[in-house]
Amino acid sequence: MANYVLFISENKLKDSTAIGGNVDVEFMLPYIRVAQKKYIETKLGTDLFVKLQADITASSLSGVYETLVNDYIQDALVHWGFYECIPFLRYKVMNNNIVQKTSETSENLTDSEAQSLREEVRNTAEFYTERLIDYIRHNNSLYPEYTSNTGADVSPDKNAYYSGINVESVRDRQSRITLDDFLPPNLSM
């Protein structure tokens, strides 16, 4: 993981979420990386994602790219990172078992409470992701890499929310199968 460039710092993560100062950053890093790949690269597309990583590595992030990272990407990423961490905060993987951590001075959340918390974090992450997408779409001339993806590159996904059901209009869906394909004509959306 040492060669993987993250778009947020430990301080940004802890200052922007309910993650306390006593949570080990080494524990969180794999989940931040997963969140960055799952939720940020898919919204930026490969070319813009790689450009930002290269600029950060070279300490040359500036101008509109710095604005994109600091004002839009980081806000979405901190909440997606927290979302990815939540299921694992109470468990520890050991050589021969996975154990649940406990404390004498606190009470563990129930599974339904943890799921409710996770949904609230997801709602916040989706809100910031929508802001990110709207900003790029309204300023795409500033980011030529946003539209230059080809071949096996990840092309930007313009949907911030996922509800488990596809409700895209016929114009947006191209050749994908959606709910409309299974509804009688008088019930089509």
Side-chain angles (χ1 to χ4, degrees):
M1 177 119 53
N3 295 330
Y4 192 81
V5 178
L6 295 176
F7 294 157
I8 59 171
S9 67
E10 173 185 356
N11 289 338
K12 177 72 174 178
L13 179 68
K14 290 182 178 182
D15 290 346
S16 302
T17 65
I19 293 175
N22 63 347
V23 176
D24 184 10
V25 71
E26 292 300 318
F27 171 81
M28 295 184 301
L29 286 177
Y31 303 105
I32 303 303
R33 181 176 187 219
V34 166
Q36 188 166 296
K37 293 292 282 179
K38 284 174 68 174
Y39 306 107
I40 302 302
E41 182 177 4
T42 59
K43 303 309 178 204
L44 301 177
T46 299
D47 292 349
L48 182 53
F49 185 83
V50 168
K51 157 92 170 120
L52 294 172
Q53 284 191 315
D55 285 358
I56 291 169
T57 300
S59 298
S60 62
L61 186 69
S62 62
V64 295
Y65 294 100
E66 186 174 24
T67 299
L68 179 62
V69 170
N70 292 342
D71 296 348
Y72 296 93
I73 293 173
Q74 287 183 354
D75 288 336
L77 183 55
V78 294
H79 295 286
W80 283 123
F82 187 30
Y83 175 79
E84 289 292 325
C85 282
I86 289 173
F88 303 99
L89 287 172
R90 69 167 110 181
Y91 300 105
K92 181 173 182 153
V93 178
M94 301 174 70
N95 285 339
N96 61 355
N97 203 356
I98 299 174
V99 297
Q100 183 173 348
K101 299 183 239 175
T102 60
S103 171
E104 294 176 16
T105 59
S106 62
E107 188 175 318
N108 289 337
L109 291 177
T110 65
D111 286 341
S112 65
E113 289 170 331
Q115 188 59 35
S116 178
L117 170 64
R118 195 164 189 241
E119 281 306 309
E120 287 301 317
V121 172
R122 180 185 180 131
N123 291 340
T124 303
E126 287 176 337
F127 166 79
Y128 283 114
T129 302
E130 182 177 36
R131 287 189 67 230
L132 166 64
I133 292 168
D134 286 347
Y135 173 76
I136 295 174
R137 289 180 74 187
H138 288 98
N139 296 285
N140 66 357
S141 62
L142 301 175
Y143 306 101
E145 301 85 0
Y146 185 67
T147 57
S148 65
N149 299 289
T150 60
D153 290 348
V154 173
S155 292
D157 178 4
K158 295 170 179 70
N159 293 317
Y161 298 95
Y162 180 74
S163 63
I165 187 168
N166 187 346
V167 292
E168 294 177 278
S169 70
V170 173
R171 172 180 51 82
D172 294 336
R173 71 181 186 147
Q174 297 162 345
S175 64
R176 292 177 283 173
I177 295 174
T178 66
L179 182 61
D180 281 345
D181 297 318
F182 300 97
L183 293 175
N186 60 344
L187 292 178
S188 291
M189 296 179 178

